[in-house]
Amino acid sequence: YQEEQLSYGELNRRANRLAGYLRSQGVGAEIKVGLHLHRSLEMVVGILGILKAGGAYVPLNPDLPADRLALILNDSGAAGLLTQRRLLDGLGGHNLKEVSLDADWEKIASEPASSQSKRIEAHHLAYVIYTSGSTGHPKGVMVTQGNLVHSTHARSLYYREPVTSFMLVSPFSFDSSIAGIFWTLCEGGTLALAANEFHQDLSGFIATIADNRISHLLCVPTLYEALLQHPNRAGLGCLKTVI
C-alpha cells in the first residue's frame, strides 16, 4: 500500500499475534467482529487475524454514514470491534468490546508469532457482508469458511493466468474484494492496495499499475472505459486478466 509493504512472513506473524490477542478477548467460532478500517495493510492483517482466531469479520467502511455503520453493527450481532483509535469518533455510541490496532499493539505484539491450531469447520462463518440496500433494507449475507474456500479455488481453476500481482480497488465492504484478497494470497502473488482516492488521479493510478506490474484487475465497466480513453493507457499493457 503506497510506500508500505509486508512480506508473507511479516503478514503471517502480525496476523498470528492479533489472532492470539483476539482469542484472549473471547473471539472464536461463530463470533462476529466488526472490522472498521480504511484500505491499508492493517486492514489485511485484521481480516486474517480475525479468521485465524476462528471468528468472522464484518467489514465496516469508515466512509459510510454513522447511522449505516450502527445498523450493521446492531443487525449483525457483532460481539467486538477491531479498529484504530482515530476512527472511533465516526462510529457513535456502542457497547462493543474494542480492540485498537494502534493503541493496543504493544499488548497484541506480546502474543506468539507462530500459528496456533484452532479447529474450524466448513460450516462456521467466515464473514458477513451487507448489501447496498438500494432497493430496501440492507441485508447481511453470511458466508461460511467452506464457501470461501470453494469460491477461491474456483477462480484458480477458471482463470488461466496465475495471479502474480492483483490491484485491489474495491472497498472491503463489497464482496468483490474477496476475490482479490484471498485469490491473490492463496496463489502467492502480490496484493497491491489502490490509494483510497485513486479515482481522482487516473494518470497516477495507471502509473501504479505499470510500476507494480499488475497482472489482474477487477473493477466496474465505467472505470475501465475511463482507463481505456486515458492518454496514458499504454501503461495498462502489463494486465493479463481483467474482470
Side-chain angles (χ1 to χ4, degrees):
Y1 177 67
Q2 296 182 337
E3 301 305 314
E4 299 178 282
Q5 62 182 25
L6 285 174
S7 68
Y8 272 82
E10 291 167 331
L11 175 61
N12 199 42
R13 288 189 289 273
R14 288 195 192 185
N16 285 338
R17 288 191 165 105
L18 176 59
Y21 185 75
L22 291 175
R23 282 196 294 269
S24 75
Q25 302 300 304
V27 176
E30 300 298 301
I31 300 297
K32 296 181 282 292
V33 180
L35 185 58
H36 183 241
L37 294 169
H38 284 296
R39 189 177 3 225
S40 60
L41 300 187
E42 288 76 16
M43 177 196 79
V44 184
V45 171
I47 289 173
L48 295 183
I50 293 171
L51 292 176
K52 282 173 172 282
Y57 74 95
V58 182
L60 300 164
N61 186 346
D63 295 329
L64 293 175
D67 57 350
R68 164 82 177 201
L69 296 176
L71 182 152
I72 293 173
L73 280 174
N74 293 330
D75 187 70
S76 67
L81 180 66
L82 182 59
T83 185
Q84 292 171 324
R85 185 65 61 190
R86 61 186 173 84
L87 297 175
L88 285 173
D89 291 342
L91 280 174
H94 60 80
N95 297 315
L96 299 179
K97 184 179 293 185
E98 297 172 1
V99 174
S100 175
L101 274 174
D102 44 11
D104 294 327
W105 186 253
E106 186 174 341
K107 291 182 285 187
I108 295 169
S110 67
E111 294 289 334
S114 56
S115 297
Q116 306 295 313
S117 60
K118 188 73 176 178
R119 184 167 179 81
I120 297 298
E121 304 289 346
H123 65 271
H124 287 150
L125 274 182
Y127 60 89
V128 181
I129 284 186
Y130 275 72
T131 62
S132 64
S134 57
T135 58
H137 192 74
K139 299 173 180 64
V141 180
M142 301 186 293
V143 179
T144 64
Q145 296 273 351
N147 280 329
L148 175 57
V149 170
H150 293 325
S151 64
T152 302
H153 183 52
R155 289 185 186 94
S156 296
L157 294 176
Y158 182 82
Y159 294 100
R160 297 179 180 179
E161 290 285 347
V163 182
T164 57
S165 188
F166 189 107
M167 175 64 75
L168 182 68
V169 299
S170 303
F172 79 133
S173 55
F174 285 8
D175 60 354
S176 56
S177 68
I178 302 301
I181 295 170
F182 293 99
W183 184 14
T184 305
L185 295 182
C186 287
E187 289 205 355
T190 298
L191 178 63
L193 309 180
N196 289 312
E197 65 281 358
F198 74 90
H199 55 281
Q200 299 172 8
D201 178 17
L202 289 185
S203 182
F205 180 57
I206 292 174
T208 301
I209 289 174
D211 291 344
N212 288 277
R213 303 298 300 168
I214 298 299
S215 65
H216 288 60
L217 178 63
L218 184 159
C219 65
V220 295
T222 50
L223 178 56
Y224 281 127
E225 183 178 16
L227 292 174
L228 292 172
Q229 292 176 354
H230 199 278
N232 297 339
R233 61 184 176 274
L236 302 173
C238 56
L239 291 172
K240 303 298 183 184
T241 299
V242 294
I243 307 167

